[in-house]
Amino acid sequence: MGRTADVAVIGGGVIGASIAYRLAKAGKKVVLCERYDLTAGATGACDQMVILQSKNPGIHLRLALDSAAMFQDLSRELDYPIEYFRHGGMITIENEMEMGVMTDFVARQKKIGLEVEIISRADAAKRQRGLADHLLGCTFSRQDGHVNPFKLTLGFAKAAKALGAEILIDAEVTGFKEEGGKIKGIKTAKGDVDAEVTVLAAGAWSPLVAAQVGLTLPIKPRRGQIIITEPGPPYVVGGILSAQYIVAKYHPETLRDAKSRGVQLGVGLALSQTAKGDILIGATREFVDYEVSNTREGIREILKNAARLMPGLKKMNVIRIMGGSRPYTPDGLPLIGFPKGREGLFLAAGHEGDGIALSAITGRIVADLLTEGKTYTDISPLDPNRFPLIAS
């Protein structure tokens, strides 16, 4: 059965759902197609942090700040309990090298507008019990928060449906419809969708879809393994990262010659506690193609690192583990815009581990561009054409 839409959205993760909602709210007829089910990809296998301190100073942090501002009223707007809490966050600092890196990082973040500071280990311990004695200090920002990624995605999707959008699951994209050199929709396992614009928001799987129209996207899947404990009383206050996480995120090349297996796997602390009491402990950053299975080695290194930084975690019982593919790009920024040479296609992918945090603002930006041809701020650094997308 054929369908018609103003915009077809490919991908049922948090980015695709946010875009569908914003477009529907702007009056567009939207059909979202997901090959499995909502949150079946990275959205359903990630932590819950809307953490700003991990964002590189520049457009990355500016957009994260704007997105965080939207989160504060999003539950009411969507009429759905997304479990957004703003309890602040910290990044642990273990040695003088990390202190130097984070001192510079914090200074540049402050210039962008983030409320962040470096606090002593003693002051950090007043906020979070159980920190290791060897820490030199921590960064702290009260603006950091976390949200339930499942409820956030479902909230966007339900609100989009209420505004007339159609959500198709088990609707894998099998091809594109082209007419006169322009992409005019998609072919799916549940029939064709004719659309003036097709938005590709399939995360780490976007390159596989884009290849069907001859595009080579510079997006690579990077596995993140995460551990979940049994529910317990409040223990982790806000979100906690490690400076090692910042290194693994922005400078993966420094890991190649590392002797530590944990460092080679890109392990950096990423810790938070859900509204139900489960503690999420992560994470690795591994280039292993599309393999998402957990490994004993990865889990062991995550636990060793976490227990070293917060010894009290040793008392927690693990109940499950999960892994997902994050869409990595070489410069750490997503691709948002029209790729040259493929009229009718719009890209919104490559957020890596920041999809949750940037979901709200990404939906707004895409909707702005597709309805008004412009958005509220300069996003030229996100232009997909900064990379060669079509093989010569």
Side-chain angles (χ1 to χ4, degrees):
M1 180 179 69
R3 293 174 170 82
T4 60
D6 297 318
V7 184
V9 178
I10 303 173
V14 71
I15 297 296
S18 176
I19 291 169
Y21 165 63
R22 292 294 170 188
L23 285 169
K25 188 175 181 180
K28 294 294 184 181
K29 184 178 180 182
V30 180
V31 176
L32 182 150
C33 298
E34 160 57 41
R35 66 172 179 165
Y36 295 133
D37 203 344
L38 299 178
T39 75
T43 299
C46 68
D47 61 39
Q48 58 182 348
M49 285 190 271
V50 182
I51 194 161
L52 308 179
Q53 292 186 74
S54 67
K55 308 303 181 278
N56 218 1
I59 187 171
H60 202 180
L61 179 55
R62 288 198 300 271
L63 292 181
L65 284 164
D66 293 342
S67 200
M70 295 175 70
F71 270 109
Q72 295 187 66
D73 198 43
L74 197 53
S75 188
R76 182 203 59 79
E77 180 182 338
L78 299 177
D79 191 25
Y80 201 80
I82 63 172
E83 296 179 2
Y84 174 70
F85 302 100
R86 195 171 176 178
H87 297 317
M90 298 194 300
I91 298 178
T92 62
I93 300 171
E94 295 188 75
N95 53 54
E96 293 296 344
M97 182 275 289
E98 291 181 355
M99 180 64 78
V101 169
M102 295 311 300
T103 298
D104 174 68
F105 205 61
V106 164
R108 290 187 291 123
Q109 287 179 323
K110 283 184 174 181
K111 291 181 180 179
I112 301 297
L114 180 65
E115 298 175 31
V116 60
E117 61 183 329
I118 294 179
I119 60 177
S120 67
R121 193 266 174 208
D123 286 339
K126 294 175 184 177
R127 173 176 175 77
Q128 174 63 63
R129 68 183 188 274
L131 292 173
D133 293 334
H134 74 275
L135 296 180
L136 296 188
C138 296
T139 66
F140 171 72
S141 175
R142 67 177 186 84
Q143 292 175 275
D144 290 329
H146 56 78
V147 69
N148 185 316
F150 297 96
K151 292 189 175 183
L152 176 62
T153 306
L154 293 176
F156 280 134
K158 285 179 176 291
K161 288 182 68 175
L163 292 167
E166 186 173 6
I167 310 292
L168 300 179
I169 60 174
D170 296 321
E172 182 176 3
V173 173
T174 57
F176 287 81
K177 303 186 69 175
E178 298 186 60
E179 182 181 313
K182 179 180 179 181
I183 292 173
K184 300 289 288 185
I186 52 179
K187 302 174 182 178
T188 83
K190 287 195 171 179
D192 294 354
V193 180
D194 296 319
E196 285 301 308
V197 178
T198 297
V199 176
L200 177 52
W205 290 268
S206 294
L208 304 183
V209 180
Q212 298 180 54
V213 287
L215 289 181
T216 302
L217 303 187
I219 295 174
K220 294 173 59 178
R222 184 145 79 162
R223 179 171 64 189
Q225 300 188 54
I226 295 177
I227 297 159
I228 302 95
T229 73
E230 64 183 353
Y235 181 69
V236 180
V237 181
I240 302 177
L241 301 180
S242 64
Q244 185 173 306
Y245 172 99
I246 303 299
V247 174
K249 181 173 184 178
Y250 295 114
H251 303 287
E253 71 281 356
T254 65
L255 309 180
R256 296 189 187 119
D257 299 324
K259 296 180 180 179
S260 165
R261 187 55 182 149
V263 173
Q264 292 172 358
L265 292 172
V267 172
L269 184 67
L271 193 69
S272 65
Q273 190 164 13
T274 70
K276 291 183 178 179
D278 305 86
I279 296 175
L280 305 180
I281 308 172
T284 60
R285 289 178 174 273
E286 310 164 76
F287 291 113
V288 288
D289 201 28
Y290 286 92
E291 180 60 62
V292 296
S293 299
N294 292 101
T295 65
R296 291 183 179 180
E297 181 181 44
I299 296 305
R300 181 175 62 250
E301 293 298 332
I302 290 171
L303 291 174
K304 281 171 56 180
N305 182 62
R308 182 173 57 81
L309 295 170
M310 282 191 65
L313 292 173
K314 294 178 181 179
K315 301 177 182 178
M316 308 298 178
N317 293 319
V318 172
I319 57 173
R320 68 184 183 94
I321 54 180
M322 61 184 179
S325 292
R326 287 76 163 110
Y328 163 90
T329 63
D331 61 6
L333 296 174
L335 312 180
I336 300 180
F338 290 101
K340 293 179 180 178
R342 296 296 183 269
E343 186 179 356
L345 182 65
F346 188 98
L347 303 177
H351 295 73
E352 203 192 344
D354 299 318
I356 301 299
L358 296 180
S359 60
I361 199 63
T362 298
R364 175 187 170 179
I365 288 171
V366 175
D368 285 350
L369 293 174
L370 295 186
T371 57
E372 301 176 16
K374 60 182 181 179
T375 189
Y376 75 101
T377 190
D378 176 23
I379 63 159
S380 56
L382 310 184
D383 183 355
N385 302 292
R386 67 188 188 273
F387 298 106
L389 304 180
I390 301 177
S392 58

